[in-house]
């Protein structure tokens, strides 16, 4: 407890303090991101630290939250820059509470808490798919589909079509993984569904980084792979995820929850599940199962790279590297505005900043040309 409680004031629920802070933040993308970041932090505090009031938040809580973010970066669930941004919103919120005299000091601003934050190396360690690796993984996915159709692959036809569509979408569209896969840490990111896909219009509706819905470009090869996969999958409802999970317990849980919501009693639900494979139940009763998670997608890419015998500096082709690889390809060939549009950057300056290494290299070549004259 802080002196706020000692002086006789009542404890402040975190949710109330967060609402007060958000009301003071100017509307726009920053407010939306702050809202999401702070609510995720509050959920973490309630779950991991059993803290639900402002006065309960101590330096050790902030230190352990910073460590939690660092683990997510280590697990490749977050970029280091994003983790630092999330913590910065918490620090700003608690600084607001300190200024409003709700707490004595800002526990997130203490050095021993911030020392646990992941180091942000900037662009130096950010992977991107090289043209060679991109072509190699796309060729492998095409051959895998052919082998599946001939009965020679270790996976079935639907899985082969699904995985090819997933890889093509990452490689060619510039989408972020969290825009098309389920992010367990963000309840608004539950994965792309078939009603988000516009094959004829060449667009995919996604919940963007701005926390607003946007349309990502869908090139012909990606659109074709998605359409062929849809014909094989035959989704039972347009709300079905494009890339559903393979996790059987999650499927069973979805069936029980959704049939229960339709007033099926427990005995009847178990009778249905005992009599039929869960995938058949999902299809017959139009159950919407969860999408594959961001971590599941990374694990899948790791397995696919192993099968394709692709060694990317001892690692694998990570989903976020596909987006950067597309931008690198477009930018390096002189299409900065096209890169901006494909990656949905808010301004061309963001695109220039993202690929400053290419600009520096081009400048060096021009300087060499001038000096050699």
């Amino acid at each position: 407890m802080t002196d706020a409680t000692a002086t006789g004031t009542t404890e402040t629920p975190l949710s109330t303090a967060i609402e007060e802070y958000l009301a003071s933040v100017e509307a726009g993308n920053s407010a939306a991101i702050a809202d999401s970041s702070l609510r995720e932090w509050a959920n973490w505090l309630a779950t991991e630290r059993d803290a639900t009031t402002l006065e309960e938040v101590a330096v050790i809580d902030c230190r352990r939250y910073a460590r939690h973010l660092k683990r997510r970066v280590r697990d490749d669930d977050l970029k280091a820059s994003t983790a630092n941004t999330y913590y910065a919103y918490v620090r700003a919120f608690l600084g607001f509470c300190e200024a409003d005299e709700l707490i004595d000091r800002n526990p997130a601003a203490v050095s021993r808490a911030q020392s646990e934050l992941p180091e942000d190396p900037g662009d130096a360690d950010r992977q991107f798919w090289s043209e060679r690796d991109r072509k190699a993984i796309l060729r492998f996915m095409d051959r895998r589909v052919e082998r599946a159709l001939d009965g020679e692959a270790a996976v079935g036809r639907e899985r082969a079509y699904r995985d090819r569509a997933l890889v093509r979408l990452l490689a060619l569209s510039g989408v972020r993984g969290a825009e098309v896969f389920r992010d367990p840490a963000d309840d608004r990111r539950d994965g792309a569904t078939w009603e988000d896909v516009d094959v004829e219009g060449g667009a995919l509706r996604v919940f963007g980084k701005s926390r607003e819905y946007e349309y990502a470009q869908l090139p012909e090869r990606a659109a074709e792979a998605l359409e062929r996969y849809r014909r094989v999958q035959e989704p039972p409802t347009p709300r079905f995820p494009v890339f559903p999970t393979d996790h059987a317990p999650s499927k069973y849980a979805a069936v029980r929850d959704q049939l229960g919501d339709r007033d099926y009693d427990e005995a009847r639900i178990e009778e249905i599940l005992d009599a039929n494979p869960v995938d058949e139940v999902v299809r017959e009763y139009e159950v919407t199962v969860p999408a594959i998670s961001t971590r599941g997608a990374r694990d899948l890419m790791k397995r696919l790279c192993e099968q394709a015998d692709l060694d990317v500096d001892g690692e694998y082709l990570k989903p976020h590297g596909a987006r950067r690889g597309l931008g690198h390809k477009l930018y390096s060939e002189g299409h900065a505005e096209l890169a901006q549009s494909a990656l949905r950057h808010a301004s061309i300056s963001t695109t220039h900043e993202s690929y400053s290494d290419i600009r520096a290299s081009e400048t060096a070549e021009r300087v060499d040309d001038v000096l050699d004259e």
Side-chain angles (χ1 to χ4, degrees), residues 46 51 73 76 144 172 175 220 261 300 315:
V73 171
D76 205 27
R144 191 167 178 256
L172 306 174
V175 295
E220 184 176 354
D261 290 342
L300 172 61
E315 293 191 348

Side-chain angles (χ1 to χ4, degrees), residues 53 59 64 68 111 140 169 173 198 220 237 271 278 292 304 310 346 348 359:
T53 65
V59 174
R64 291 180 181 174
H68 163 72
S111 59
F140 171 76
L169 182 65
S173 72
D198 182 0
E220 184 176 354
T237 168
E271 181 182 337
V278 67
I292 187 174
L304 291 174
L310 269 177
I348 192 65
R359 297 180 74 192

Side-chain angles (χ1 to χ4, degrees), residues 165-226:
L166 184 152
V167 171
R168 281 199 191 179
L169 182 65
L170 290 175
L172 306 174
S173 72
V175 295
R176 301 175 179 88
E179 293 175 333
V180 292
F181 309 125
R182 177 175 54 85
D183 183 352
D186 188 336
D187 59 8
R188 295 198 65 185
R189 298 193 181 280
D190 49 11
T193 66
W194 284 110
E195 62 184 356
D196 295 321
V197 180
D198 182 0
V199 169
E200 293 184 1
L204 174 68
R205 182 173 179 263
V206 299
F207 189 59
K209 185 178 180 180
S210 65
R211 301 197 68 77
E212 295 180 355
Y213 283 99
E214 306 169 357
Y215 283 93
Q217 56 96 22
L218 195 60
E220 184 176 354
R221 290 177 67 197
E224 175 194 35
L226 282 168

Side-chain angles (χ1 to χ4, degrees), residues 363-373:
T363 300
E365 290 178 4
R366 292 174 184 173
V367 169
D368 284 339
D369 290 341
V370 171
L371 296 178
D372 288 340
E373 289 179 354

Side-chain angles (χ1 to χ4, degrees), residues 136-279:
I137 192 66
L138 289 174
R139 283 196 302 269
F140 171 76
M141 301 312 298
D142 286 340
R143 291 196 301 269
R144 191 167 178 256
V145 167
E146 293 171 0
R147 292 200 305 272
L149 292 175
D150 293 336
E152 299 174 356
V155 296
R157 185 178 63 148
E158 183 175 336
R159 173 71 68 82
Y161 273 99
R162 185 203 72 172
D163 293 350
R164 181 174 69 172
L166 184 152
V167 171
R168 281 199 191 179
L169 182 65
L170 290 175
L172 306 174
S173 72
V175 295
R176 301 175 179 88
E179 293 175 333
V180 292
F181 309 125
R182 177 175 54 85
D183 183 352
D186 188 336
D187 59 8
R188 295 198 65 185
R189 298 193 181 280
D190 49 11
T193 66
W194 284 110
E195 62 184 356
D196 295 321
V197 180
D198 182 0
V199 169
E200 293 184 1
L204 174 68
R205 182 173 179 263
V206 299
F207 189 59
K209 185 178 180 180
S210 65
R211 301 197 68 77
E212 295 180 355
Y213 283 99
E214 306 169 357
Y215 283 93
Q217 56 96 22
L218 195 60
E220 184 176 354
R221 290 177 67 197
E224 175 194 35
L226 282 168
E227 181 58 28
R228 291 191 176 186
Y229 165 48
R230 174 157 49 185
R231 293 174 190 168
V232 172
Q233 186 199 54
E234 296 182 341
T237 168
R239 297 184 303 278
F240 203 75
V242 177
F243 304 113
T245 182
D246 287 324
H247 188 239
S250 296
K251 295 180 184 180
Y252 279 99
V255 168
R256 292 186 175 102
D257 288 344
Q258 292 174 42
L259 292 190
D261 290 342
R262 300 175 201 174
D263 295 330
Y264 283 76
D265 61 42
E266 292 184 12
R268 176 57 181 152
I269 294 172
E270 296 308 316
E271 181 182 337
I272 292 170
L273 286 171
D274 288 343
N276 305 279
V278 67
D279 287 334

